[in-house]
Amino acid sequence: MTLTMATQRPIDTERDRRWQAVLQRDASADGSFVYAVLTTGVYCRPSCPSRLAKPENVSFHDRPQDAEAAGYRPCKRCAPNAPSADTPIAALVERACRIIEQADEPLGLLELAARVGLSPSYLHHRFKAVTGLTPRAYARAHQARRVREALNAPDGDVTRAIHGAGFRSSGRFYENADAMLGMTPTAYKGGGRDTTIRFAVGECSLGSVLVACSARGVCAILLGDDPAPLVRDLQDRFPRAELTAGEGDFEDWVAGVVGLIDDPALGTELPLDIRGTAFQQRVWQALREIPAGSTASYTEVAERIGSPTAVRAVARACAANPLAVAIPCHRVVRRDGDLSGYRWGVERKRALLEREADQPKGHDGEGVSK
């Protein structure tokens, strides 16, 4: 490939602030640009320890890809197309996250990788390790968040919300609307209007328990000391939904939940309406695979879902779990065995674990032998 370089007088190079960074081998400038040397055919990062080139042979490029497009190859000594040893990968992933969030429409992996100066495969691997999501899944989650925020605005319009979030067509959005919002956009904007949720509050060995069901299955299992706060919690989730008292066969659903609390090894066959982000879904599925009588650390759960560095995100997913016991977030403890927190109180968590410790191991949350 023929090397090319824009016409550039030596005096212009020497006056360029980037040349000063090269002269000083300024590591803080790594990642902001690369410089190429016409006589050697290579390009380097500013901190490269190689012998300095003459300014008249130097050209500057914003990205490694730009230098390669001009016919230069990466320096083997400073590896300018790889992450800087002084730049934590988390910082590069954070930069990628900001780029995704600020884009008017979803970016492809190739373009995103070029923007942060990493290879597509390396970015994909490290992005998932740090955030727990692939870049594509992160973009979808961000789109969903933008849609929710727009629909929650007083003057929110469904069409404007869809296109404002970067969806190229309404059809593409509606294909994923149910998974994103748990209902139609119009119903979500109305706070759950036209959505019917049956619920009942019972008593169990851990206090009060609220069980709520949508048309798809149990959508909430809440624990507490008194029924009133549990009902308010449900109302806050669906401020305009039609909340109705569960009658008839609903008592069997409540009994099934109470039975699960009292004897976790029995498992439950109740259908669950599990709603959450892609990452939360992965975490919650991993929790359901922890056998009754066993525990796992937040780190172990992160490793099981293939995101070993997303420990804090795993903890947040556990805290957001709306289905107590059915999704057994109480089985997740700190690495040293400490119980840590629990959305429904550490004492309830301790009671559940002690109860399960007395049960035979080898059954998962659904009563299926492993």
Side-chain angles (χ1 to χ4, degrees):
M1 182 181 293
T2 302
L3 298 178
T4 61
M5 183 173 72
T7 301
Q8 185 176 24
R9 295 168 56 192
I11 190 171
D12 293 332
T13 300
E14 292 177 308
R15 288 179 176 177
D16 195 305
R17 59 177 179 78
R18 292 174 292 184
W19 178 245
Q20 295 304 312
V22 172
L23 289 176
Q24 298 169 12
R25 293 185 169 88
D26 185 0
S28 66
D30 289 352
S32 61
F33 72 92
V34 296
Y35 72 94
V37 182
L38 183 63
T39 53
T40 62
V42 302
Y43 68 93
C44 306
R45 63 174 78 244
S47 64
C48 183
S50 299
R51 181 178 178 180
L52 288 174
K54 294 181 179 180
E56 62 264 29
N57 294 323
V58 171
S59 61
F60 299 110
H61 305 271
D62 292 335
R63 306 176 303 171
Q65 290 80 0
D66 297 334
E68 292 177 13
Y72 295 94
R73 63 184 184 278
C75 171
K76 293 183 178 180
R77 191 168 183 180
C78 69
N81 57 339
S84 169
D86 297 326
T87 303
I89 190 62
L92 295 176
V93 170
E94 181 178 358
R95 186 190 306 171
C97 290
R98 302 294 85 79
I99 291 173
I100 291 173
E101 293 167 3
Q102 295 167 13
D104 293 330
E105 58 184 44
L107 300 176
L109 181 61
L110 291 177
E111 182 177 356
L112 181 63
R115 297 274 292 274
V116 296
L118 298 176
S119 70
S121 60
Y122 187 78
L123 173 62
H124 188 277
H125 173 70
R126 299 308 302 168
F127 194 100
K128 184 176 180 181
V130 173
T131 68
L133 298 172
T134 64
R136 183 178 182 181
Y138 185 91
R140 287 179 175 175
H142 178 65
Q143 281 186 305
R145 182 164 60 250
R146 290 175 63 183
V147 169
R148 288 193 294 268
E149 291 174 350
L151 292 176
N152 285 331
D155 59 346
D157 175 81
V158 173
T159 301
R160 285 202 303 270
I162 293 173
H163 292 289
F167 286 95
R168 297 176 183 176
S169 69
S170 298
R172 179 64 61 86
F173 169 76
Y174 280 103
E175 289 176 3
N176 302 284
D178 192 61
M180 284 184 179
L181 306 175
M183 60 189 72
T184 67
T186 301
Y188 184 89
K189 175 175 171 52
R193 183 186 289 121
D194 299 328
T195 299
T196 299
I197 296 177
R198 297 187 297 161
F199 77 97
V201 179
E203 294 297 320
C204 65
S205 56
L206 298 181
S208 299
V209 55
L210 181 148
V211 180
C213 299
S214 68
R216 294 187 291 185
V218 179
C219 59
I221 299 176
L222 311 177
L223 299 173
D225 297 323
D226 301 299
L230 301 182
V231 176
R232 286 197 296 271
D233 188 351
L234 184 65
Q235 291 174 328
D236 290 341
R237 290 174 178 272
F238 301 98
R240 297 182 183 177
E242 181 182 355
L243 303 181
T244 64
E247 299 177 349
D249 63 343
F250 200 83
E251 293 181 0
D252 295 334
W253 292 45
V254 177
V257 172
V258 172
L260 178 63
I261 294 171
D262 292 336
D263 191 355
L266 291 177
T268 179
E269 296 182 356
L270 293 175
L272 301 179
D273 180 3
I274 303 176
R275 306 177 183 184
T277 66
F279 181 78
Q280 289 173 334
Q281 295 271 6
R282 289 167 54 206
V283 172
W284 296 341
Q285 179 57 40
L287 301 188
R288 299 183 72 195
E289 294 171 358
I290 303 174
S294 301
T295 59
S297 69
Y298 294 99
T299 299
E300 289 171 335
V301 173
E303 292 172 348
R304 291 180 187 181
I305 64 173
S307 303
T309 62
V311 178
R312 291 185 179 180
V314 166
R316 290 193 294 270
C318 290
N321 172 29
L323 290 159
V325 189
I327 295 178
C329 55
H330 61 276
R331 295 175 189 161
V332 185
V333 298
R334 290 179 179 169
R335 183 179 297 181
D336 60 5
D338 185 84
L339 297 188
S340 182
Y342 186 53
R343 179 176 177 178
W344 294 284
V346 174
E347 289 307 313
R348 288 189 177 89
K349 182 172 186 174
R350 179 176 290 107
L352 285 168
L353 292 177
E354 291 176 350
R355 192 169 299 167
E356 293 181 358
D358 295 331
Q359 301 293 334
K361 293 184 180 181
H363 291 78
D364 65 12
E366 295 180 318
V368 179
S369 180
K370 302 292 278 187

